[in-house]
Amino acid sequence: MTDELAPIPAATFPLSARSPGKCIVFGEHAVVHGAPELAFAVDLTTQVFVTRGGSMRLNADPEALEHNAYFRAAVEHGWSDRSPVEVRAVSRIPRAAGLGSSAAFVAAITAAFSAAQGGVARPALAQRCFEIEQGAQGVGSPGDTSTVVAGGFVAINGGPGEPLWSIRSTDRRWDVRRVSDPGWVWVVAYSGIPRSTADAVRSVSARLAAPGGPELLEQFRRVATDGISAVERGDRRAVAELLQHNQVLLREVGVSHPRLEALIEAAAPAAEAVKLTGAGAGGSVLALPVPGKETELIRRLARAGALPFVVRPTAVGAGLVTV
Ligand code: PMV
């Protein structure tokens, strides 16, 4: 286990930083409204290489500041001297698939910029990454960015013990805590349907503001709270039941999709539970395999037309790469 509170040290160009992606187990969408969430960092990473350059470029694109809202927000909020830098980003995380590709890009580039500006404490890095991601996306919670900055299993607004840190927006505060990794194998399958996180967040927000919304949010809160305790004590059967229950709620707020439901059905004989993960409306499903049926589960999801991955939680959060 790495020290989740280790700061990002000062470094000079050229430098490289890396961040894991993430996978949400319980509580996506509801976390935006202050309910608990559980997520873990996955061992698919985005790595950036940053050096001084003649103009501000990302992957050789001289107009990247206009083309890429995350790059623009990272430069505006995270690179105060604004001198031109060349950034190259290489990612193994599929985009728009609910696996945190944007949070990983933001965390890697912000870690690199912060190192070049004298280093940063990890809680401040998590806060900065949240502001940058929100600046680019317009909506959302700090769940993704705090998970990739912390590494390991992370509870937002739940979980045991003292917070690692707290993230603030103008009207909300989210506490971020460490949860133990139960050591299970998880499978994620990308449906191939890209979607906009911001659109999905807005439509769920409207649903939760409508009649019956507060009661639904309370159910999300209960499932995630119980889910965090069940993961913490390694109670697989309870986790499976709560994952299924969380999917019922996500369906109810309108972010499932016929393709996701088809994947859930195809996976069922080899999975203890399957739910969508991330914003939904496309994107990916997360499955807890029946032990010993991992390969069958992968085969079933691939046959149903998805791109499945075995995702391994990683304890290593965003940080510099020594080159
Ligand atoms: O699909 P992703 O990786 O963008 O995850 C979104 C998670 C939400 O809860 C829907 C939004 C958020 O910012 O927490």
Side-chain angles (χ1 to χ4, degrees):
M1 174 68 80
T2 50
D3 176 2
E4 60 263 357
L5 293 178
I8 305 296
T12 52
F13 291 131
L15 53 84
S16 180
R18 181 160 61 202
S19 170
K22 64 87 221 204
C23 179
I24 300 173
V25 181
F26 294 110
E28 52 273 269
H29 285 291
V31 67
V32 175
H33 306 277
E37 178 184 75
L38 179 72
F40 61 85
V42 302
D43 67 346
L44 295 168
T45 60
T46 293
Q47 184 163 356
V48 298
F49 303 85
V50 188
T51 184
R52 293 214 178 273
S55 64
M56 205 58 110
R57 302 206 300 179
L58 171 63
N59 289 342
D61 178 2
E63 281 160 23
L65 286 174
E66 277 134 72
H67 295 159
N68 186 317
Y70 295 97
F71 183 53
R72 183 167 61 246
V75 169
E76 276 171 8
H77 304 295
W79 184 229
S80 49
D81 88 357
R82 303 282 167 92
S83 61
V85 287
E86 299 249 0
V87 179
R88 209 161 70 77
V90 179
S91 183
R92 290 188 53 229
I93 308 170
R95 290 161 78 109
L99 287 173
S101 60
S102 54
F105 173 71
V106 166
I109 193 167
T110 307
F113 283 162
S114 302
Q117 292 169 119
V120 66
R122 205 160 276 264
L125 175 65
Q127 176 74 37
R128 204 173 285 171
C129 289
F130 165 59
E131 288 166 7
I132 290 169
E133 194 185 50
Q134 230 204 13
Q137 228 165 249
V139 288
S141 80
D144 288 10
T145 41
S146 273
T147 301
V148 304
V149 168
F153 274 68
V154 168
I156 313 291
N157 288 346
E162 285 300 303
L164 298 176
W165 54 72
S166 299
I167 302 294
R168 289 179 168 74
S169 70
T170 45
D171 57 350
R172 236 180 241 299
R173 191 186 101 177
W174 291 267
D175 292 330
V176 179
R177 290 186 176 81
R178 167 69 60 224
V179 171
S180 320
D181 180 350
W184 302 336
V185 171
W186 302 83
V187 170
V188 164
Y190 177 43
S191 65
I193 302 169
R195 80 288 175 274
S196 150
T197 297
D199 290 350
V201 167
R202 287 196 187 95
S203 86
V204 173
S205 301
R207 176 66 188 87
L208 292 176
E215 291 76 12
L216 263 174
L217 185 60
E218 188 47 40
Q219 290 190 53
F220 273 105
R221 188 184 297 280
R222 213 167 317 130
V223 165
T225 303
D226 293 350
I228 290 166
S229 321
V231 166
E232 183 68 25
R233 59 176 197 275
D235 184 343
R236 208 174 157 105
R237 182 194 290 243
V239 169
E241 270 171 26
L242 291 159
L243 288 168
Q244 307 280 38
H245 189 176
N246 201 158
Q247 174 62 19
V248 171
L249 297 175
L250 288 162
R251 217 175 265 146
E252 179 97 16
V253 295
V255 285
S256 196
H257 183 283
R259 286 290 305 138
L260 298 182
E261 294 297 329
L263 295 180
I264 291 171
E265 205 180 311
E272 291 182 338
V274 196
K275 68 178 271 291
L276 70 84
T277 184
S284 297
V285 294
L286 169 69
L288 188 59
V290 172
K293 292 198 174 177
E294 292 82 2
T295 316
E296 181 189 333
L297 176 60
I298 298 271
R299 204 179 306 124
R300 286 179 161 278
L301 288 162
R303 281 216 192 104
L307 181 59
F309 306 81
V310 170
V311 286
R312 286 184 308 185
T314 175
V316 183
L320 294 187
V321 178
T322 326
V323 276

